[in-house]
Amino acid sequence: MHSRKRILITGGAGFVGSHLCRALVGTGADVLCVDNFFTGTRDNIIDLLDNPHFELMRHDVTFPLYVEVDEIYNLACPASPVHYQHDPVQTTKTSVHGAINLLGLAKRTRAKILQASTSEVYGDPNIHPQPEEYWGNVNPVGIRSCYDEGKRCAETLFFDYFRQHQLRIKVARIFNTYGPSMHPNDGRVVSNFIVQALNGEPITIYGDGSQTRSFCFVSDLVRGLIALMDSSDDVTGPINLGNPGEFTIKQLAELVIEMTGSRSQIEYLPLPTDDPMQRQPDISKARDILDWQPTIELRSGLQQTIQYFSKILPT
Ligand code: NAD
Ligand code: UDP
């Protein structure tokens, strides 16, 4: 018999996954981290590698996996547009075949399974802020579709396994999250702006910078994911997890320049196709059902992220 909870985290060597691995090892669980290192690295979890309650396995979730676990957090999938558009077919496979393989594993082991879904399921939303009831406005054939539709299909699979096989499922719709351990070449806006500001390079705003995003600090998100996994079995979601504080991309650029004291200038580049104009989570459900809400203001989260990048960037 095993006395510790056995938790599988796919994508555990990535940005969010590495924070989640650390938090769950901290709760006294045995954590199995599965990753193919497409965007994640061993460096993100280097401090855990000697821990007897942590195990790292190189594996691609588009192939079946046979392990015995009690809980599964399915995070495997590149999240930055630059990386998920690099091999779009593999991105859809990761979301869809990955979900099928892990749901199959959950069915065999009767493990509880949580899906890291995304605000991208709302596409370029025409309802603002976005509640979970909103079905979204997603282009099925554009350059973001491999990610958006892959994640939407994964949600479908989760709910079909729930209805058809009575699995215990949890679907979290995660809004833009940032923090330490982001890769300097991640390509998402917060890491790009901080790296550019620290290197004295131009800050690249796509479009006129009037599009908005709501930024959640990673420790807040990790708390939310664990609260969702630990909630009672009737809580399936989908449930929004994010910080409702909404900023334009131009405001973010100005804040990063101010906080780093950088002399970088802003450079305006073309807006990529299908780039959503606005995004803000309605988190009433997370507040009511999980008693969860973010606590880290953008300024304070940026401070910690700037500190992290100052340490890892070559001087
Ligand atoms: P990330 O790119 O840093 O991490 C993804 C991890 O998955 C990486 O370690 C990568 O190597 C791994 N991976 C990719 N394809 C794989 C495969 N086929 N098999 C095994 N491992 C694979 O991204 P992140 O920001 O940490 O995102 C984690 C999860 O959360 C993703 O599923 C993402 O869609 C979701 N999410 C993140 C955000 C955010 O803002 N960070 C927002 C919405 C949803
Ligand atoms: N963006 C930007 N400059 C960058 C990177 C991103 O202006 O160097 C913009 C991007 O066009 C989008 C927003 O910032 O409007 C958030 O982009 P990100 O890639 O972080 O995530 P998204 O929410 O679009 O998936």
Short mmCIF file of all heavy atoms in Angstrom, two decimals, residues 103-104 106-107 110-113 154-171 232-238:
data_model
loop_
_atom_site.label_atom_id
_atom_site.label_comp_id
_atom_site.label_asym_id
_atom_site.label_seq_id
_atom_site.Cartn_x
_atom_site.Cartn_y
_atom_site.Cartn_z
N LEU A 103 -6.88 10.65 -20.33
CA LEU A 103 -8.21 10.25 -19.87
C LEU A 103 -8.31 8.73 -19.79
O LEU A 103 -8.93 8.18 -18.88
CB LEU A 103 -9.29 10.84 -20.79
CG LEU A 103 -9.51 12.36 -20.61
CD1 LEU A 103 -10.20 12.97 -21.83
CD2 LEU A 103 -10.32 12.65 -19.34
N GLY A 104 -7.66 8.06 -20.73
CA GLY A 104 -7.60 6.60 -20.70
C GLY A 104 -6.88 6.11 -19.45
O GLY A 104 -7.32 5.15 -18.79
N ALA A 106 -6.66 7.79 -16.67
CA ALA A 106 -7.53 8.10 -15.52
C ALA A 106 -8.64 7.07 -15.40
O ALA A 106 -9.03 6.66 -14.31
CB ALA A 106 -8.13 9.50 -15.69
N LYS A 107 -9.13 6.61 -16.55
CA LYS A 107 -10.21 5.62 -16.54
C LYS A 107 -9.72 4.30 -15.95
O LYS A 107 -10.39 3.68 -15.12
CB LYS A 107 -10.69 5.40 -17.99
CG LYS A 107 -11.90 4.52 -18.10
CD LYS A 107 -12.36 4.45 -19.55
CE LYS A 107 -13.25 3.25 -19.74
NZ LYS A 107 -13.03 2.60 -21.03
N ARG A 110 -8.75 5.01 -12.23
CA ARG A 110 -9.80 5.76 -11.51
C ARG A 110 -9.23 7.01 -10.85
O ARG A 110 -9.70 7.45 -9.79
CB ARG A 110 -10.53 4.89 -10.47
CG ARG A 110 -11.23 3.67 -11.00
CD ARG A 110 -12.05 3.86 -12.24
NE ARG A 110 -13.20 4.76 -12.08
CZ ARG A 110 -13.99 5.12 -13.10
NH1 ARG A 110 -13.78 4.67 -14.31
NH2 ARG A 110 -14.99 5.96 -12.89
N ALA A 111 -8.18 7.57 -11.46
CA ALA A 111 -7.58 8.81 -10.91
C ALA A 111 -8.47 10.00 -11.23
O ALA A 111 -9.22 10.00 -12.20
CB ALA A 111 -6.20 9.02 -11.53
N LYS A 112 -8.37 11.02 -10.38
CA LYS A 112 -9.03 12.30 -10.64
C LYS A 112 -8.16 13.03 -11.66
O LYS A 112 -6.93 12.97 -11.56
CB LYS A 112 -9.05 13.08 -9.33
CG LYS A 112 -10.26 13.91 -9.13
CD LYS A 112 -10.32 14.73 -7.87
CE LYS A 112 -9.65 14.35 -6.60
NZ LYS A 112 -9.95 15.33 -5.53
N ILE A 113 -8.76 13.73 -12.62
CA ILE A 113 -7.93 14.35 -13.67
C ILE A 113 -8.35 15.80 -13.93
O ILE A 113 -9.53 16.11 -14.09
CB ILE A 113 -7.96 13.50 -14.96
CG1 ILE A 113 -7.10 14.14 -16.06
CG2 ILE A 113 -9.37 13.24 -15.48
CD1 ILE A 113 -6.76 13.20 -17.22
N ALA A 154 -10.21 19.14 -26.34
CA ALA A 154 -9.81 18.47 -25.09
C ALA A 154 -10.92 18.65 -24.03
O ALA A 154 -11.27 17.70 -23.33
CB ALA A 154 -8.49 19.03 -24.58
N GLU A 155 -11.50 19.84 -23.96
CA GLU A 155 -12.62 20.04 -23.01
C GLU A 155 -13.78 19.09 -23.34
O GLU A 155 -14.39 18.48 -22.47
CB GLU A 155 -13.12 21.49 -23.04
CG GLU A 155 -12.19 22.48 -22.37
CD GLU A 155 -12.88 23.79 -21.97
OE1 GLU A 155 -14.12 23.88 -22.02
OE2 GLU A 155 -12.15 24.74 -21.59
N THR A 156 -14.08 18.97 -24.65
CA THR A 156 -15.16 18.07 -25.08
C THR A 156 -14.87 16.65 -24.60
O THR A 156 -15.75 15.96 -24.05
CB THR A 156 -15.27 18.07 -26.62
OG1 THR A 156 -15.37 19.42 -27.06
CG2 THR A 156 -16.46 17.27 -27.10
N LEU A 157 -13.63 16.20 -24.82
CA LEU A 157 -13.25 14.85 -24.41
C LEU A 157 -13.40 14.68 -22.90
O LEU A 157 -13.91 13.65 -22.43
CB LEU A 157 -11.80 14.58 -24.82
CG LEU A 157 -11.60 14.30 -26.32
CD1 LEU A 157 -10.14 14.50 -26.71
CD2 LEU A 157 -12.04 12.87 -26.64
N PHE A 158 -12.99 15.67 -22.15
CA PHE A 158 -13.12 15.57 -20.68
C PHE A 158 -14.59 15.38 -20.30
O PHE A 158 -14.92 14.53 -19.48
CB PHE A 158 -12.53 16.81 -20.00
CG PHE A 158 -11.08 16.62 -19.61
CD1 PHE A 158 -10.09 16.51 -20.59
CD2 PHE A 158 -10.69 16.52 -18.28
CE1 PHE A 158 -8.76 16.29 -20.25
CE2 PHE A 158 -9.36 16.31 -17.93
CZ PHE A 158 -8.40 16.20 -18.91
N PHE A 159 -15.47 16.18 -20.90
CA PHE A 159 -16.89 16.07 -20.52
C PHE A 159 -17.53 14.79 -21.06
O PHE A 159 -18.43 14.25 -20.42
CB PHE A 159 -17.64 17.37 -20.90
CG PHE A 159 -17.44 18.40 -19.83
CD1 PHE A 159 -16.34 19.24 -19.84
CD2 PHE A 159 -18.29 18.47 -18.73
CE1 PHE A 159 -16.10 20.15 -18.82
CE2 PHE A 159 -18.07 19.38 -17.69
CZ PHE A 159 -16.97 20.22 -17.73
N ASP A 160 -17.04 14.28 -22.19
CA ASP A 160 -17.57 13.00 -22.66
C ASP A 160 -17.10 11.84 -21.77
O ASP A 160 -17.88 10.93 -21.49
CB ASP A 160 -17.22 12.77 -24.13
CG ASP A 160 -18.13 13.59 -25.04
OD1 ASP A 160 -19.28 13.88 -24.61
OD2 ASP A 160 -17.71 13.99 -26.13
N TYR A 161 -15.87 11.87 -21.32
CA TYR A 161 -15.41 10.83 -20.38
C TYR A 161 -16.16 10.93 -19.05
O TYR A 161 -16.42 9.93 -18.39
CB TYR A 161 -13.89 10.94 -20.14
CG TYR A 161 -13.08 10.10 -21.11
CD1 TYR A 161 -12.85 10.52 -22.42
CD2 TYR A 161 -12.56 8.86 -20.72
CE1 TYR A 161 -12.12 9.76 -23.31
CE2 TYR A 161 -11.82 8.09 -21.60
CZ TYR A 161 -11.60 8.54 -22.89
OH TYR A 161 -10.89 7.77 -23.77
N PHE A 162 -16.52 12.15 -18.68
CA PHE A 162 -17.30 12.36 -17.45
C PHE A 162 -18.69 11.73 -17.60
O PHE A 162 -19.13 10.95 -16.76
CB PHE A 162 -17.38 13.86 -17.17
CG PHE A 162 -18.39 14.27 -16.14
CD1 PHE A 162 -18.22 13.93 -14.80
CD2 PHE A 162 -19.51 15.02 -16.51
CE1 PHE A 162 -19.15 14.32 -13.84
CE2 PHE A 162 -20.44 15.40 -15.55
CZ PHE A 162 -20.27 15.05 -14.22
N ARG A 163 -19.35 12.05 -18.75
CA ARG A 163 -20.72 11.54 -18.94
C ARG A 163 -20.72 10.05 -19.25
O ARG A 163 -21.55 9.30 -18.76
CB ARG A 163 -21.40 12.31 -20.10
CG ARG A 163 -21.87 13.69 -19.71
CD ARG A 163 -22.59 14.38 -20.87
NE ARG A 163 -21.65 14.74 -21.92
CZ ARG A 163 -21.22 15.99 -22.14
NH1 ARG A 163 -21.68 16.99 -21.40
NH2 ARG A 163 -20.37 16.24 -23.10
N GLN A 164 -19.76 9.61 -20.08
CA GLN A 164 -19.78 8.23 -20.56
C GLN A 164 -19.14 7.25 -19.58
O GLN A 164 -19.57 6.11 -19.48
CB GLN A 164 -19.03 8.19 -21.90
CG GLN A 164 -19.39 7.03 -22.80
CD GLN A 164 -18.70 7.18 -24.16
OE1 GLN A 164 -18.49 8.29 -24.64
NE2 GLN A 164 -18.35 6.07 -24.77
N HIS A 165 -18.10 7.70 -18.87
CA HIS A 165 -17.34 6.77 -18.01
C HIS A 165 -17.30 7.22 -16.55
O HIS A 165 -16.56 6.66 -15.76
CB HIS A 165 -15.91 6.62 -18.53
CG HIS A 165 -15.83 6.09 -19.93
ND1 HIS A 165 -16.30 4.85 -20.28
CD2 HIS A 165 -15.36 6.64 -21.08
CE1 HIS A 165 -16.11 4.65 -21.58
NE2 HIS A 165 -15.55 5.73 -22.08
N GLN A 166 -18.06 8.26 -16.24
CA GLN A 166 -18.16 8.75 -14.85
C GLN A 166 -16.79 9.07 -14.25
O GLN A 166 -16.55 8.85 -13.06
CB GLN A 166 -18.89 7.75 -13.94
CG GLN A 166 -20.38 7.59 -14.26
CD GLN A 166 -20.62 6.78 -15.53
OE1 GLN A 166 -20.07 5.69 -15.70
NE2 GLN A 166 -21.43 7.30 -16.43
N LEU A 167 -15.88 9.61 -15.06
CA LEU A 167 -14.58 10.03 -14.51
C LEU A 167 -14.76 11.25 -13.63
O LEU A 167 -15.67 12.05 -13.83
CB LEU A 167 -13.61 10.40 -15.63
CG LEU A 167 -12.95 9.31 -16.42
CD1 LEU A 167 -11.68 9.84 -17.08
CD2 LEU A 167 -12.60 8.13 -15.55
N ARG A 168 -13.84 11.39 -12.68
CA ARG A 168 -13.83 12.61 -11.86
C ARG A 168 -12.95 13.63 -12.60
O ARG A 168 -11.73 13.48 -12.62
CB ARG A 168 -13.27 12.31 -10.48
CG ARG A 168 -14.21 11.43 -9.64
CD ARG A 168 -13.61 11.10 -8.31
NE ARG A 168 -12.43 10.28 -8.43
CZ ARG A 168 -11.47 10.19 -7.52
NH1 ARG A 168 -11.56 10.90 -6.40
NH2 ARG A 168 -10.43 9.41 -7.70
N ILE A 169 -13.60 14.61 -13.24
CA ILE A 169 -12.84 15.58 -14.05
C ILE A 169 -12.91 16.98 -13.44
O ILE A 169 -13.84 17.32 -12.70
CB ILE A 169 -13.36 15.66 -15.50
CG1 ILE A 169 -14.83 16.16 -15.52
CG2 ILE A 169 -13.23 14.33 -16.22
CD1 ILE A 169 -15.22 16.85 -16.81
N LYS A 170 -11.90 17.79 -13.80
CA LYS A 170 -11.82 19.19 -13.38
C LYS A 170 -11.27 19.96 -14.58
O LYS A 170 -10.18 19.61 -15.07
CB LYS A 170 -10.83 19.35 -12.22
CG LYS A 170 -11.02 18.36 -11.07
CD LYS A 170 -12.05 18.88 -10.12
CE LYS A 170 -12.37 17.92 -9.01
NZ LYS A 170 -13.52 18.37 -8.22
N VAL A 171 -11.97 20.96 -15.04
CA VAL A 171 -11.46 21.75 -16.17
C VAL A 171 -11.25 23.20 -15.73
O VAL A 171 -12.20 23.89 -15.35
CB VAL A 171 -12.43 21.68 -17.37
CG1 VAL A 171 -11.97 22.61 -18.50
CG2 VAL A 171 -12.55 20.24 -17.88
N SER A 232 -14.80 19.18 -4.16
CA SER A 232 -15.59 17.94 -4.12
C SER A 232 -15.87 17.44 -5.54
O SER A 232 -15.80 18.19 -6.51
CB SER A 232 -16.89 18.17 -3.36
OG SER A 232 -17.61 19.18 -3.99
N ASP A 233 -16.20 16.14 -5.66
CA ASP A 233 -16.29 15.50 -6.97
C ASP A 233 -17.36 16.11 -7.87
O ASP A 233 -17.29 15.99 -9.10
CB ASP A 233 -16.57 14.00 -6.80
CG ASP A 233 -15.33 13.25 -6.31
OD1 ASP A 233 -14.25 13.88 -6.27
OD2 ASP A 233 -15.47 12.06 -5.95
N ASP A 234 -18.36 16.79 -7.30
CA ASP A 234 -19.39 17.38 -8.16
C ASP A 234 -18.90 18.66 -8.85
O ASP A 234 -19.56 19.17 -9.75
CB ASP A 234 -20.67 17.67 -7.35
CG ASP A 234 -20.40 18.61 -6.19
OD1 ASP A 234 -19.34 18.46 -5.55
OD2 ASP A 234 -21.23 19.50 -5.94
N VAL A 235 -17.73 19.16 -8.47
CA VAL A 235 -17.19 20.37 -9.12
C VAL A 235 -16.34 19.94 -10.31
O VAL A 235 -15.21 19.48 -10.16
CB VAL A 235 -16.33 21.20 -8.14
CG1 VAL A 235 -15.76 22.43 -8.84
CG2 VAL A 235 -17.14 21.60 -6.92
N THR A 236 -16.90 20.06 -11.52
CA THR A 236 -16.17 19.67 -12.72
C THR A 236 -15.59 20.88 -13.43
O THR A 236 -14.70 20.75 -14.26
CB THR A 236 -17.12 18.99 -13.72
OG1 THR A 236 -18.17 19.92 -14.02
CG2 THR A 236 -17.71 17.70 -13.16
N GLY A 237 -16.11 22.09 -13.16
CA GLY A 237 -15.82 23.22 -14.01
C GLY A 237 -16.67 23.10 -15.26
O GLY A 237 -17.62 22.33 -15.26
N PRO A 238 -16.30 23.77 -16.38
CA PRO A 238 -15.12 24.63 -16.49
C PRO A 238 -15.19 25.82 -15.56
O PRO A 238 -16.27 26.37 -15.33
CB PRO A 238 -15.14 25.08 -17.96
CG PRO A 238 -16.55 24.90 -18.41
CD PRO A 238 -17.10 23.76 -17.61
#
